[in-house]
Amino acid sequence: MKYPGRIIKAGEAEARIVKALKTALNKALGLRGGGGEAIVLDADNPTFGPRMKQAVQLFQARNVDDEGQPLKTDGEVGALTWAVLFGAARVPQADAPKDAFLAAVVAKAGSQADAGVREQPRNSNRGPEVDVYLRRSGVTPGLAWCCAFTYWCFDEAAKAAGRANPMFRTAGCMAHWNNAQRQGARRIPAAQAVADPALVKPGMVFIMDFGGGLGHTGFVERIDGGYIHTIEGNTDASQTREGGGVYRLQRKLSSINKGFIDYAGV
């Protein structure tokens, strides 16, 4: 059964989903449990109640996701838990943008990651490429530059296509989030994206909010259920917002706490 596009939790009303989950949980826990630990669920009972929540938590506690990371033991079945129960092919996956312009934008970002763009000197928010990103977005070199990097990628792709750049011109992540709709873009809040990963598409821009006007941003290169694969500036392997270069990274979808911006068709 394919992931239904929402988090399944206590009180779920769709009987066929509850039955499928109970059947899968009984099988999984029967293989891994035994004796007094076994929790046998009545698959013909359409109720997602306390006993089923306990079974989900037990399953989550005993399993890791496809990346080897522990599942969150919250008793709710999101995309990551669904993928372990039913297989990775049952959750949303996408490898490339369908929008031709956004494909060019992501390709431009990928070229900078492939080139190994780094700050020079380290921890300076400066460097030949970094200074260009910042100036292109309208600010002085030496500032945090993740959003300036996204703007530069859009701008370079727009110039190559002989068209206007649709992205709001800014080096500020939260300013981008707050003004993207004025440019005709669509925003997907984080909670909606986590509940339904199918809403997130390659080519979208993710926004993280750290409070106090601070944020971080980058591109979604591809989506794999509860994970996104990204291209980001001003980061590094630690996934910080003040790293030293352009990197390809992998993040849990749930780590994106603000949301996603979609310029497809704009």
Side-chain angles (χ1 to χ4, degrees):
M1 177 180 286
K2 288 188 177 296
Y3 181 67
R6 64 181 186 278
I7 295 173
I8 308 303
K9 55 189 175 181
E12 170 62 38
E14 193 164 345
R16 70 181 187 90
I17 292 177
V18 174
K19 182 173 184 176
L21 280 172
K22 285 184 174 181
T23 301
L25 286 165
N26 280 336
K27 181 179 180 181
L29 293 174
L31 290 171
R32 294 167 176 79
E37 293 185 23
I39 301 175
V40 180
L41 300 170
D42 181 2
D44 292 324
N45 181 344
T47 302
F48 189 143
R51 189 172 180 82
M52 182 172 174
K53 180 176 180 178
Q54 183 183 3
V56 173
Q57 289 173 313
L58 179 60
F59 174 81
Q60 291 169 327
R62 291 180 174 179
N63 289 273
V64 296
D65 64 28
D66 288 343
E67 299 298 327
Q69 298 299 311
L71 294 170
K72 185 177 181 180
T73 55
D74 57 3
E76 299 180 356
V77 182
L80 290 174
T81 299
W82 191 278
V84 181
L85 271 169
F86 296 104
R90 302 295 183 174
V91 295
Q93 298 180 30
D95 291 330
K98 292 184 177 180
D99 181 280
F101 175 68
L102 293 184
V105 175
V106 171
K108 183 60 66 174
S111 73
Q112 301 300 281
D114 294 341
V117 171
R118 300 290 184 267
E119 293 179 357
Q120 299 177 29
R122 294 178 63 183
N123 303 318
S124 66
N125 284 335
R126 297 294 303 270
E129 298 91 353
V130 175
D131 288 357
V132 171
Y133 303 153
L134 285 161
R135 288 194 180 98
R136 188 74 63 86
S137 67
V139 299
T140 303
L143 300 175
W145 52 277
C146 60
C147 190
F149 169 68
T150 64
Y151 182 82
W152 180 88
C153 294
F154 269 97
D155 208 44
E156 286 291 297
K159 287 182 177 181
R163 55 158 292 174
N165 182 353
M167 180 176 159
F168 179 75
R169 190 186 189 202
T170 182
C173 300
M174 303 317 300
H176 186 198
W177 177 261
N178 292 333
N179 289 281
Q181 288 176 307
R182 290 171 48 190
Q183 305 295 108
R186 182 169 66 106
R187 297 192 314 189
I188 301 173
Q192 291 182 19
V194 172
D196 186 5
L199 295 173
V200 181
K201 308 293 185 183
M204 288 185 178
V205 175
F206 73 82
I207 302 289
M208 302 172 76
D209 185 355
F210 292 95
L214 300 177
H216 184 61
T217 191
F219 294 102
V220 177
E221 186 173 29
R222 59 190 178 91
I223 176 118
D224 187 8
Y227 282 88
I228 56 173
H229 297 261
T230 66
I231 307 173
E232 313 169 23
N234 205 179
T235 191
D236 56 30
S238 69
Q239 301 188 350
T240 178
R241 60 171 295 276
E242 279 287 1
V246 179
Y247 287 83
R248 282 184 168 89
L249 298 176
Q250 176 179 279
R251 294 180 180 271
K252 280 190 175 182
L253 186 57
S254 59
S255 72
I256 308 304
N257 67 345
K258 193 65 177 180
F260 297 83
I261 299 172
D262 185 12
Y263 283 95
V266 178

